[in-house]
Amino acid sequence: MVDESVTEPVEPAEPTFAEQLAAARAYAMRSLAHRESAESELANRLRQQGFNEEVIEAVVDYCRGYNWVNDERYGGMAVRAGAAKGHGPIKIRFDLRRKGLDDMQIDAAFDQPELDWFELAFALLERRARVADLADFKLRMKWLKYLLGRGFTQDQAHYAISALQEREE
């Protein structure tokens, strides 16, 4: 005989839009409390949590409205942080594009007069290289490749090498 008191498990109801929105906002606030993010980064994190596009758009608009997420501010901060790490403008520009900033926002982020990329390349090389290394062509090319790999332009890398050589003469 079949026991009729045992029923089939009931599927949990799909959360309403308001419940999803509240959960997504809470997640966004926790995420933004840890570190600054670009709008596209926040949207991608929300996507990974399984929120639908309508909820994601509403949460990003909500955060933008309170200035919790601001691509211009994020871009400026990322440029300064990258320069402090010894990264050149090419690498930083690439990273900002990957984070979802457009060319206008990136150009605005690089509009910081206190950053002299030539002097930053020189300071990085000065910390890393010995002047005696620069007398040898192969070692000079190694340091040139190092600066180019860090995202500095050819002009900036050549300036750094020649300035370090001149300094010791």
Side-chain angles (χ1 to χ4, degrees):
M1 174 165 229
V2 177
D3 185 10
E4 294 180 18
S5 64
V6 177
T7 59
E8 289 291 315
V10 178
E11 289 288 321
E14 181 73 23
T16 66
F17 179 79
E19 292 170 339
Q20 287 183 12
L21 187 62
R25 278 185 190 164
Y27 178 81
M29 283 188 251
R30 284 191 312 273
S31 177
L32 292 171
H34 291 288
R35 70 180 186 90
E36 184 83 22
S37 297
E39 290 178 15
S40 62
E41 276 185 301
L42 179 61
N44 286 337
R45 275 192 243 125
L46 289 168
R47 267 186 213 96
Q48 289 173 350
Q49 292 298 312
F51 295 106
N52 65 37
E53 291 300 316
E54 189 178 355
V55 170
I56 292 170
E57 188 176 320
V59 170
V60 170
D61 286 343
Y62 178 80
C63 292
R64 190 182 312 119
Y66 281 100
N67 204 25
W68 294 340
V69 57
N70 181 323
D71 281 350
E72 286 78 23
R73 182 181 65 221
Y74 175 79
M77 182 265 325
V79 169
R80 288 187 300 278
K85 290 179 186 175
H87 297 162
I90 295 171
K91 179 176 179 24
I92 296 170
R93 189 174 291 273
F94 176 79
D95 289 342
L96 290 175
R97 265 200 203 101
R98 210 179 72 226
K99 300 284 183 171
L101 274 66
D102 62 32
D103 287 336
M104 271 183 39
Q105 292 168 326
I106 292 172
D107 290 341
F110 274 94
D111 189 25
Q112 299 184 31
E114 70 274 6
L115 292 178
D116 182 353
W117 297 103
F118 289 92
E119 289 303 317
L120 288 170
F122 171 70
L124 179 64
L125 188 63
E126 188 177 40
R127 284 194 312 265
R128 302 282 179 154
R130 293 188 313 254
V131 177
D133 291 350
L134 299 179
D136 181 26
F137 177 77
K138 284 186 178 181
L139 288 175
R140 204 168 45 245
M141 290 302 105
K142 173 190 159 198
W143 287 111
L144 178 68
K145 183 179 175 186
Y146 171 77
L147 289 172
L148 294 174
R150 299 288 293 188
F152 290 97
T153 65
Q154 286 271 348
D155 290 340
Q156 293 160 350
H158 283 294
Y159 168 82
I161 289 172
S162 64
L164 192 57
Q165 283 178 315
E166 289 173 11
R167 187 174 206 211
E168 290 299 315
E169 290 178 356

mmCIF file of all heavy atoms in Angstrom, residues 4 7 10 15 18 45 48 69 86 118-119 136 147:
data_model
loop_
_atom_site.group_PDB
_atom_site.id
_atom_site.type_symbol
_atom_site.label_atom_id
_atom_site.label_comp_id
_atom_site.label_asym_id
_atom_site.label_seq_id
_atom_site.Cartn_x
_atom_site.Cartn_y
_atom_site.Cartn_z
ATOM 1 N N GLU A 4 0.117 7.816 1.430
ATOM 2 C CA GLU A 4 -0.322 9.048 0.793
ATOM 3 C C GLU A 4 0.074 10.287 1.574
ATOM 4 O O GLU A 4 -0.069 11.406 1.100
ATOM 5 C CB GLU A 4 -1.841 9.010 0.596
ATOM 6 C CG GLU A 4 -2.236 7.932 -0.383
ATOM 7 C CD GLU A 4 -3.732 7.892 -0.567
ATOM 8 O OE1 GLU A 4 -4.413 8.861 -0.223
ATOM 9 O OE2 GLU A 4 -4.206 6.874 -1.078
ATOM 10 N N THR A 7 4.366 13.502 0.331
ATOM 11 C CA THR A 7 4.076 14.217 -0.914
ATOM 12 C C THR A 7 5.374 14.512 -1.646
ATOM 13 O O THR A 7 6.465 14.454 -1.073
ATOM 14 C CB THR A 7 3.357 15.548 -0.617
ATOM 15 O OG1 THR A 7 4.206 16.332 0.216
ATOM 16 C CG2 THR A 7 2.027 15.296 0.035
ATOM 17 N N VAL A 10 8.175 20.174 -3.128
ATOM 18 C CA VAL A 10 7.695 21.335 -3.869
ATOM 19 C C VAL A 10 8.902 22.137 -4.343
ATOM 20 O O VAL A 10 9.818 22.417 -3.574
ATOM 21 C CB VAL A 10 6.778 22.206 -2.974
ATOM 22 C CG1 VAL A 10 6.309 23.434 -3.720
ATOM 23 C CG2 VAL A 10 5.623 21.388 -2.464
ATOM 24 N N PRO A 15 12.481 33.569 -7.582
ATOM 25 C CA PRO A 15 12.438 34.853 -6.877
ATOM 26 C C PRO A 15 11.876 35.951 -7.775
ATOM 27 O O PRO A 15 12.102 35.959 -8.981
ATOM 28 C CB PRO A 15 13.901 35.118 -6.522
ATOM 29 C CG PRO A 15 14.716 34.101 -7.214
ATOM 30 C CD PRO A 15 13.813 33.053 -7.747
ATOM 31 N N ALA A 18 11.894 42.060 -7.629
ATOM 32 C CA ALA A 18 12.292 42.872 -6.468
ATOM 33 C C ALA A 18 13.276 42.117 -5.578
ATOM 34 O O ALA A 18 14.233 42.705 -5.070
ATOM 35 C CB ALA A 18 11.059 43.288 -5.674
ATOM 36 N N ARG A 45 30.675 40.657 -12.795
ATOM 37 C CA ARG A 45 30.587 39.932 -11.526
ATOM 38 C C ARG A 45 29.148 39.551 -11.215
ATOM 39 O O ARG A 45 28.880 38.460 -10.705
ATOM 40 C CB ARG A 45 31.177 40.761 -10.393
ATOM 41 C CG ARG A 45 32.672 40.585 -10.307
ATOM 42 C CD ARG A 45 33.225 41.158 -9.028
ATOM 43 N NE ARG A 45 34.104 42.234 -9.436
ATOM 44 C CZ ARG A 45 34.043 43.484 -9.034
ATOM 45 N NH1 ARG A 45 33.186 43.843 -8.131
ATOM 46 N NH2 ARG A 45 34.872 44.382 -9.494
ATOM 47 N N GLN A 48 28.205 36.601 -13.336
ATOM 48 C CA GLN A 48 28.765 35.366 -12.792
ATOM 49 C C GLN A 48 27.949 34.844 -11.613
ATOM 50 O O GLN A 48 27.933 33.653 -11.354
ATOM 51 C CB GLN A 48 30.214 35.580 -12.355
ATOM 52 C CG GLN A 48 31.172 35.743 -13.514
ATOM 53 C CD GLN A 48 32.572 36.116 -13.064
ATOM 54 O OE1 GLN A 48 32.811 36.430 -11.900
ATOM 55 N NE2 GLN A 48 33.507 36.099 -14.008
ATOM 56 N N VAL A 69 29.993 53.713 -8.478
ATOM 57 C CA VAL A 69 30.777 53.224 -9.606
ATOM 58 C C VAL A 69 30.846 54.378 -10.611
ATOM 59 O O VAL A 69 29.839 54.983 -10.943
ATOM 60 C CB VAL A 69 30.180 51.925 -10.208
ATOM 61 C CG1 VAL A 69 28.766 52.095 -10.651
ATOM 62 C CG2 VAL A 69 31.014 51.405 -11.341
ATOM 63 N N GLY A 86 55.087 50.679 -11.923
ATOM 64 C CA GLY A 86 56.130 50.632 -12.938
ATOM 65 C C GLY A 86 55.636 50.185 -14.294
ATOM 66 O O GLY A 86 56.420 49.752 -15.128
ATOM 67 N N PHE A 118 58.241 59.637 -19.389
ATOM 68 C CA PHE A 118 59.675 59.541 -19.665
ATOM 69 C C PHE A 118 60.452 59.418 -18.352
ATOM 70 O O PHE A 118 61.334 58.582 -18.217
ATOM 71 C CB PHE A 118 60.149 60.761 -20.467
ATOM 72 C CG PHE A 118 59.652 60.758 -21.883
ATOM 73 C CD1 PHE A 118 58.467 61.399 -22.214
ATOM 74 C CD2 PHE A 118 60.365 60.116 -22.881
ATOM 75 C CE1 PHE A 118 58.000 61.389 -23.520
ATOM 76 C CE2 PHE A 118 59.901 60.105 -24.196
ATOM 77 C CZ PHE A 118 58.712 60.742 -24.506
ATOM 78 N N GLU A 119 60.104 60.241 -17.387
ATOM 79 C CA GLU A 119 60.784 60.195 -16.091
ATOM 80 C C GLU A 119 60.433 58.919 -15.320
ATOM 81 O O GLU A 119 61.259 58.394 -14.569
ATOM 82 C CB GLU A 119 60.451 61.430 -15.262
ATOM 83 C CG GLU A 119 61.094 62.695 -15.787
ATOM 84 C CD GLU A 119 62.617 62.594 -15.883
ATOM 85 O OE1 GLU A 119 63.257 62.065 -14.944
ATOM 86 O OE2 GLU A 119 63.172 63.045 -16.899
ATOM 87 N N ASP A 136 77.368 47.663 -22.523
ATOM 88 C CA ASP A 136 77.306 46.494 -23.397
ATOM 89 C C ASP A 136 76.022 46.546 -24.234
ATOM 90 O O ASP A 136 74.924 46.707 -23.691
ATOM 91 C CB ASP A 136 77.337 45.222 -22.544
ATOM 92 C CG ASP A 136 77.297 43.955 -23.376
ATOM 93 O OD1 ASP A 136 77.740 44.005 -24.549
ATOM 94 O OD2 ASP A 136 76.814 42.937 -22.864
ATOM 95 N N LEU A 147 61.859 47.475 -20.673
ATOM 96 C CA LEU A 147 60.980 48.654 -20.602
ATOM 97 C C LEU A 147 59.808 48.540 -21.580
ATOM 98 O O LEU A 147 58.681 48.917 -21.251
ATOM 99 C CB LEU A 147 61.777 49.931 -20.869
ATOM 100 C CG LEU A 147 62.742 50.340 -19.757
ATOM 101 C CD1 LEU A 147 63.611 51.501 -20.215
ATOM 102 C CD2 LEU A 147 61.984 50.715 -18.488
#
